[in-house]
Amino acid sequence: FQRLDYAAEIAYYYGFMPVKSPTIEREDVVRSKKATENETHEKNYGNSEGGELFIHPEEKAALLRECEGKKMLNQSQTTMLYYEGAVSRDDHKKAGKGHYKELHLDILGTTKSVAEAELIKTTIEILRQKGFEDLYVDINSIGDKDSLANFTREVQQFYRKHGNELQ
């Protein structure tokens, strides 16, 4: 296992509090399936090495359950947590290497976009301290459902007005 002490120190510096890695129980799997009925169960995030990293919704459900049980969630305050966990990677399994350590950062109790900004900033700083240079974040988003509907309407209006010019 790789040591993540430097990453944990940076996460703590940015306000993330350490918690024990959640243990996934049957109720977490059931809860996550209900929450993701209309989505794929596992999200695949490729990496530059060609391997595959899967984010499992049951991990989030287990974290929420444990936080609720320990009264860590407060309606009036955002909760910023980190934990270390072993994560399977498809390319490592094939090579017989099994698992590696990963630091999980979670911000609970807010829907504000500043939470994503905090996650991005903390992650970039962890990578910088590890020696990565010239890092950048490329975000491609048109927003929520209302923004998407407005965007779609505006594009349709543009093509109605200028459709003949585009041929």
Side-chain angles (χ1 to χ4, degrees):
F1 290 106
Q2 297 175 345
R3 293 194 44 90
L4 295 174
D5 294 339
Y6 73 97
E9 286 179 28
I10 293 168
Y12 186 77
Y13 175 81
Y14 279 96
F16 290 84
M17 301 305 296
V19 293
K20 185 181 135 233
S21 181
T23 303
I24 298 171
E25 296 178 1
R26 181 165 168 59
E27 71 180 88
D28 301 320
V29 175
V30 171
R31 188 176 183 186
S32 66
K33 281 185 181 179
K34 286 180 184 176
T36 59
E37 283 176 346
N38 296 328
E39 300 176 18
T40 55
H41 185 65
E42 297 176 338
K43 297 231 180 206
N44 175 2
Y45 297 88
N47 65 36
S48 61
E49 300 166 7
E52 301 195 13
L53 173 64
F54 288 95
I55 305 299
H56 302 279
E58 58 269 15
E59 290 175 1
K60 180 72 85 177
L63 179 63
L64 287 169
R65 179 185 41 76
E66 289 192 17
C67 288
E68 288 169 353
K70 294 179 182 176
K71 308 283 189 233
M72 295 176 68
L73 300 178
N74 183 340
Q75 295 285 352
S76 63
Q77 190 172 353
T78 301
T79 304
M80 298 170 54
L81 307 169
Y82 75 87
Y83 62 92
E84 293 180 19
V87 177
S88 296
R89 272 188 32 197
D90 194 41
D91 58 335
H92 281 249
K93 280 184 181 179
K94 288 177 186 173
K97 296 179 185 174
H99 295 81
Y100 73 103
K101 282 276 195 171
E102 178 176 277
L103 187 74
H104 296 254
L105 301 172
D106 275 292
I107 299 180
L108 308 171
T110 184
T111 58
K112 295 181 180 178
S113 59
V114 72
E116 283 86 6
E118 190 69 32
L119 289 168
I120 291 167
K121 173 64 178 156
T122 304
T123 303
I124 287 175
E125 191 55 37
I126 288 169
L127 293 171
R128 277 196 183 121
Q129 293 296 320
K130 192 63 177 164
F132 290 88
E133 298 175 0
D134 299 323
L135 297 169
Y136 69 93
V137 176
D138 187 8
I139 298 174
N140 182 9
S141 175
I142 56 173
D144 59 9
K145 289 180 183 180
D146 294 332
S147 298
L148 178 58
N150 291 336
F151 176 78
T152 303
R153 268 194 307 276
E154 288 179 24
V155 168
Q156 288 171 343
Q157 288 175 353
F158 176 84
Y159 280 110
R160 281 189 204 116
K161 287 182 182 178
H162 303 286
N164 293 335
E165 300 169 20
L166 300 173
Q167 293 178 4

